[in-house]
């Protein structure tokens, strides 16, 4: 038993080294990814569930690694948070999203609301509000068409500060949405203090909303809460007609998900908007 334990340990240590090495090389690669144009955005349409019209898009980050291929944001955002790279990456995301959405409008398509995901580290940066303002100015983007997505866990630290930052952004006309709603540890009382324009029901409650009564009641309760507070509510993770029907019937304003559209590369987003304009 002793020797097998040792073998296990050696195996484990070796495995760990391999993992650490891999992480370090990935970290090194990420530093270069920005400069090498390996990062790009995809856009997932969001629709008004009652009219079917496109109300906005959510910008989602992608990394096409030259050797490893596509790497999910779930696999590199937390690393970028740790080493601080999320700051330049986050600014790049904001600038790129605004420029591309504006580009569509220049081509004669309607101006869409664009939702950009923030990370905790960005929100905590001293000059974050100024960075956003400078980016909007440089891109020539109307802040009323920008939405910033924050999560409950991000806003629960340094509440006073976050209230100030979100308030300043909101003053500029930027909309704030609370992402992954229902999965964090927030006190509902905080909803009153933050200038939130939209609650985003987490996809984990949507996947079985048509079959699991617990998920159904949670989704219904979030919708009722948003309505009572007079803020908009959007559902993510709509994968089936049944999800869409449930949400529509229960008064959810907007939605996104694979059943409506996958996240699209810029050219496909443009093509989709053009096709929809034709009829
Ligand atoms: P999120 O903000 O909750 O984004 C929703 C995720 O669900 C996206 O994954 C999206 O592609 C996926 N999704 C959309 N519709 C469906 C559906 O019908 N079914 C299922 N199963 N999934 C669906 P993605 O693009 O892999 O992004 C994962 C997470 O990475 C995001 O979760 C967000 O937290 C983070 N992220 C993505 N882009 C950025 C960014 O630019 N900045 C920051 N800070 N985080 C980002
Ligand atoms: Ca999001
Ligand atoms: Ca989400
Ligand atoms: Ca507001």
């Amino acid at each position: 038993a002793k020797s097998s334990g040792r073998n296990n340990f050696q195996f484990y240590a070796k495995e760990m080294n391999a993992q650490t090495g891999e992480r370090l090389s990935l970290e090194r690669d990420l530093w270069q990814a920005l400069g090498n144009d390996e990062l790009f955005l995809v856009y997932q349409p969001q629709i008004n569930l009652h009219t079917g019209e496109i109300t906005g898009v959510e910008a989602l980050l992608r990394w096409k690694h030259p050797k490893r291929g596509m790497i999910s944001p779930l696999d590199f955002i937390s690393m970028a948070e740790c080493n601080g790279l999320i700051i330049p990456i986050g600014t790049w995301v904001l600038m790129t999203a605004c420029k591309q959405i504006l580009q569509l409008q220049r081509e004669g398509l309607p101006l869409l609301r664009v939702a950009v995901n923030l990370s905790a580290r960005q929100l905590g940066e001293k000059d974050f509000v100024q960075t956003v303002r400078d980016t909007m100015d440089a891109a020539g983007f109307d802040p009323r068409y920008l939405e910033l997505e924050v999560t409950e866990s991000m806003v629960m630290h340094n509440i006073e500060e976050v209230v100030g930052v979100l308030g300043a952004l909101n003053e500029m006309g930027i909309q704030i949405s609370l992402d992954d709603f229902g999965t964090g540890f927030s006190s509902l009382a905080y909803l009153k203090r933050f200038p939130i324009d939209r609650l985003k029901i987490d996809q984990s409650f949507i996947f079985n909303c048509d079959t699991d009564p617990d998920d159904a009641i949670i989704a219904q309760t979030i919708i009722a809460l948003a309505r009572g507070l007079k803020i908009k509510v959007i559902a993510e993770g709509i994968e089936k007609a049944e999800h869409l029907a449930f949400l529509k019937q229960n008064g959810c304003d907007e939605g996104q998900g694979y059943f409506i559209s996958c996240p699209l590369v810029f050219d496909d987003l443009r093509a989709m908007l053009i096709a929809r304009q034709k009829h």
Side-chain angles (χ1 to χ4, degrees):
K2 207 176 174 185
S3 80
S4 94
R6 201 175 119 215
N7 282 339
N8 274 343
F9 174 75
Q10 281 177 341
F11 174 75
Y12 184 66
K14 211 169 158 187
E15 181 91 326
M16 253 195 10
N17 268 333
Q19 275 177 14
T20 312
E22 185 164 321
R23 220 199 57 227
L24 286 177
S25 82
L26 205 61
E27 193 164 344
R28 192 169 8 86
D29 294 349
L30 186 57
W31 284 97
Q32 293 172 359
L34 243 188
N36 290 350
D37 285 335
E38 292 165 23
L39 299 181
F40 64 99
L41 297 179
V42 290
Y43 297 94
Q44 186 168 41
Q46 302 176 326
I47 64 165
N48 177 317
L49 294 180
H50 306 282
T51 64
E53 76 180 320
I54 296 179
T55 53
V57 289
E58 178 177 4
L60 295 158
L61 186 57
R62 294 290 178 267
W63 179 12
K64 189 161 191 286
H65 189 282
K67 292 208 190 75
R68 298 174 197 223
M70 294 296 292
I71 301 178
S72 161
L74 298 171
D75 295 328
F76 69 88
I77 295 272
S78 62
M79 180 175 81
E81 278 252 329
C82 286
N83 64 22
L85 261 179
I86 194 68
I87 300 300
I89 289 176
T91 304
W92 178 87
V93 169
L94 198 57
M95 178 64 96
T96 304
C98 290
K99 279 187 175 163
Q100 291 193 317
I101 294 307
L102 215 51
Q103 160 88 22
L104 296 174
Q105 191 200 26
R106 294 214 175 95
E107 294 173 13
L109 291 162
L111 183 58
L112 296 172
R113 178 185 81 217
V114 62
V116 168
N117 291 281
L118 294 185
S119 82
R121 184 110 175 215
Q122 281 175 285
L123 210 53
E125 279 284 288
K126 280 274 168 295
D127 52 359
F128 181 64
V129 174
Q130 193 56 45
T131 302
V132 174
R133 191 175 282 123
D134 291 346
T135 308
M136 293 303 97
D137 286 349
F141 197 84
D142 182 344
R144 288 172 302 179
Y145 286 83
L146 176 67
E147 178 167 275
L148 295 175
E149 297 198 359
V150 297
T151 61
E152 293 164 274
S153 59
M154 280 167 56
V155 299
M156 287 310 123
H157 304 285
N158 310 317
I159 291 166
E160 292 307 324
E161 251 178 79
V162 173
V163 167
V165 171
L166 296 184
L169 294 168
N170 208 232
E171 282 286 293
M172 289 167 61
I174 294 169
Q175 299 174 56
I176 307 294
S177 87
L178 201 47
D179 201 2
D180 303 341
F181 190 73
T183 61
F185 298 98
S186 68
S187 152
L188 293 178
Y190 292 136
L191 281 177
K192 271 176 44 178
R193 300 194 44 203
F194 296 115
I196 303 289
D197 299 291
R198 197 172 270 104
L199 290 185
K200 206 160 179 186
I201 310 173
D202 189 66
Q203 49 191 36
S204 62
F205 304 119
I206 305 303
F207 294 148
N208 301 308
C209 68
D210 55 327
T211 52
D212 183 332
D214 292 343
D215 288 334
I217 194 79
I218 291 171
Q220 284 166 330
T221 303
I222 296 174
I223 293 166
L225 178 66
R227 298 201 125 197
L229 294 172
K230 299 199 169 53
I231 56 188
K232 293 265 193 262
V233 59
I234 182 167
E236 63 181 2
I238 300 175
E239 293 190 346
K240 298 193 296 186
E242 288 83 353
H243 299 158
L244 187 74
F246 172 90
L247 290 161
K248 225 165 131 171
Q249 199 180 350
N250 284 283
C252 187
D253 303 311
E254 293 171 75
Q256 67 185 86
Y258 297 159
F259 182 71
I260 296 157
S261 169
C262 286
L264 305 169
V265 296
F266 183 65
D267 285 343
D268 290 348
L269 175 68
R270 177 200 282 119
M272 195 263 302
L273 292 170
I274 291 172
R276 280 175 78 108
Q277 226 178 17
K278 284 191 180 130
H279 47 257

